[in-house]
Amino acid sequence: MPAALDGVVRQVPAARAPERVVRSVCGFCSTGCSLDVHQRDRRAVNVVPTRGHPVNDGSACPKGWEALTPMVAPDRATRPLVRRGGRMVPVDWGVAFETFAERVKAVQSAHGPDSVAFLSTGQIVTEEMAFLGALAKFGMGLVHGDGNTRQCMATSVAAYKECFGFDAPPYAYDDLERSDVVVLVGSNLAIAHPILFERLQRNPHAPEVIVVDPRTTETAMAATLHLAARPKTDQVLLYGIARALIERGAVDHAFVSEHTSGFERFAAAIGRYDPARVCAETGLDDADLHRAVDAIAAGERVSFWWTMGVNQGHAATRTAQAIIALALMTGNIGRPGTGANSITGQCNAMGSRLFSNTASLFAGRDTTDPGHRQEVADVLGIDVGAIGDRPSLAYDQIVDGIEDGSIRGLWIVATNPVHSWIDRRRLGRLLDRLDVLVVQDLYADTETARRADVFLPAAGWAEKEGTFINSERRIGRVRPAHRPPGQARTDFEIFQGIAEFWGCGPMFRRWRSPAAVFDLLAELSRGRPCDITGIGGHAGIGDDGVQWPWTEADAAAAPDGPPLERRLFADGRFHTPDGRARFIHDEPSPPHDATSDDLPLILLTGRGTSAQWHTQTRTGRSPTLAALAPARLHLEMSPHDARQRGLRSGQDVTVRSRRGALTAAVFVTPTLQPGQVFLPMHDPAVNALTAPGFDPWSRQPAYKHTAVEVVAAPG
Ligand code: SF4
């Protein structure tokens, strides 16, 4: 069946022309909603969320409803561009590929193969991510490449790997509906993952919902208990809860002794987190702390969830591991309604984590392990010598490499770091120093693409085929329903073209289609915790998707196919060498960007609306989505701080940090505590303020704590 016809789920007679409906997974967030794209004359004309789908059952957030915006946008990039005499001029693909190969090879021959790096994304399909990772590292000899998933998920990866032995989020979304206690840490589910919030609202067990967040977010407003701990004191709070649970005798000792290691050491280390200390450091009152402990202790099915409020902190990995510790010590893992559950950010962050060949070799293998390199070489049919044994630099180290001159060329795919990277102005200045910058994206006018020497116009969601893997490990099909505009090509086709012009085309003869690559990835996963050999290729992924793992043995034992919802660790065996999950503890440390007399406020950033996506490259072009959020940048501030500064709602203010300043309209609201202000991350000005600090274990940027001052804007 031709790719464009595969996935057609029904034929609808229409007055003008036959209409088809092509089923695909949404290309924005990691929830992975299923969307039905209505197609007429081979063009996408409408989109409707899929009824009966196990993820979203007929619901979508505003972004999903507006998912066709890029397909009809008049300003999409349609031609490759090459900088000549300071101007970007249109060229054909042959010239673009030739220029790419010549310029990148010139940098490599002058400064060494590792002087060129790539920055990838969680927004392209898994098969394209895998192609990019193999092409760059095995075909072109690049050493360093990282994904923008470093900005959102690196912490969860590091935390799970250390505690569970593999990056393995254990849950199914169904757990939100089965818990009797739900603990959300640093997660504004109502705005960031509205469909999951809806599922939580549908929970029939009248759950206690405990939200840990310094702001009274939309999610906190719907909680039964809001713990408004001071910013970045969540690690202290979690240790305090763990200590109180031990004191109360709420530890599942049978589970701990049979399935975990390090509990005694952990329990001894957190003994110092008595309620008095915890309340003093977090600003919480004793009664709320005890109520949270009571609820967790009494819960039969307690699930713990976290997102960016944890992941984007200066001690993020240890904080996430404190959440994991709570689940382990209370035996809340591997059963329905439980789990230590990280919710991912981007639509294919999970694909990036497992199969992008950036931070680790395919399927979570270790670059420094000769056995793993040989296995990858054998499956791909390439010389093991093509697989380097040096691990890649992380994103921030690549940026530092530009500053110290060791990175001279950069290839950026489907991401806009000059908007999204922490302390973004520094990155913009550094990109301008590069010998060559290649940008591959849907639009040539992003803050990053405008700096490119070579621009490669790419197809977007619903213009290509492949798979996304959502937060609950569900692999779903992405199907083409629309032709890319002009000469834009799928990222897959662009990688094929680069391979040919680079001279490594023969290495990728088997990478002839996304379906063929999926088969290679399945083979690469064989015997690994993410084994997907039982799925049976693209054709085996039904409309409901399949959660990993799904091995050949699983498939043989289940002739009717995989169950709709599965969770990991039901048998209490983890992926560590001894099969036990680990308790990990570290003493908290202060945030990098401390407040001071002249910068007394803590700036928090986050998703400001469910109607915009990250840097607004796509959503910013939809008038409908624009109408759902304030037209101007708003700074949220507590009444106390506004009064102190003589500010009133609507007034223009200057927000100043150690890196720069911006102007916004102030919005005075009791949802902010005194001493804290909030800006939505979607505005490009915001990351001109944020402080370049990183969690030392995951190297994820700490976006959530920047010292600022706010004053009335000049006249
Ligand atoms: Fe669903 Fe996320 Fe897409 Fe919204 S953006 S429709 S929540 S997958």
Side-chain angles (χ1 to χ4, degrees), residues 403-424:
E403 179 141 62
D404 69 25
S406 57
I407 300 290
R408 312 291 290 250
L410 199 58
W411 178 14
I412 297 178
V413 179
T415 184
N416 182 14
V418 181
H419 180 135
S420 62
W421 188 246
I422 203 158
D423 188 13
R424 72 177 196 89

Side-chain angles (χ1 to χ4, degrees), residues 468-591:
F468 287 156
I469 311 178
N470 77 358
S471 279
E472 58 166 357
R473 313 182 316 284
R474 186 177 301 276
I475 301 167
R477 291 284 303 274
V478 175
R479 296 181 169 101
H482 198 88
R483 223 186 294 274
Q487 295 178 24
R489 294 186 180 183
T490 66
D491 292 287
F492 196 91
E493 292 166 331
I494 295 173
F495 300 141
Q496 284 178 316
I498 289 171
E500 291 305 324
F501 277 77
W502 190 272
C504 59
M507 189 185 262
F508 296 98
R509 287 288 177 261
R510 292 168 65 198
W511 299 59
R512 60 188 178 282
S513 68
V517 171
F518 187 85
D519 292 342
L520 283 174
L521 297 180
E523 199 48 43
L524 283 163
S525 77
R526 184 181 292 280
R528 305 289 298 157
C530 57
D531 189 326
I532 51 172
T533 50
I535 289 180
H538 274 186
I541 304 171
D543 279 347
D544 293 333
V546 182
Q547 287 174 287
W548 67 259
W550 190 245
T551 66
E552 282 179 345
D554 291 331
D560 294 336
L564 272 189
E565 312 262 6
R566 283 179 298 137
R567 53 196 57 77
L568 304 179
F569 311 130
D571 59 358
R573 282 203 62 76
F574 294 84
H575 300 300
T576 51
D578 63 3
R580 292 168 175 270
R582 301 183 184 116
F583 284 90
I584 313 260
H585 160 271
D586 242 315
E587 283 302 295
S589 55

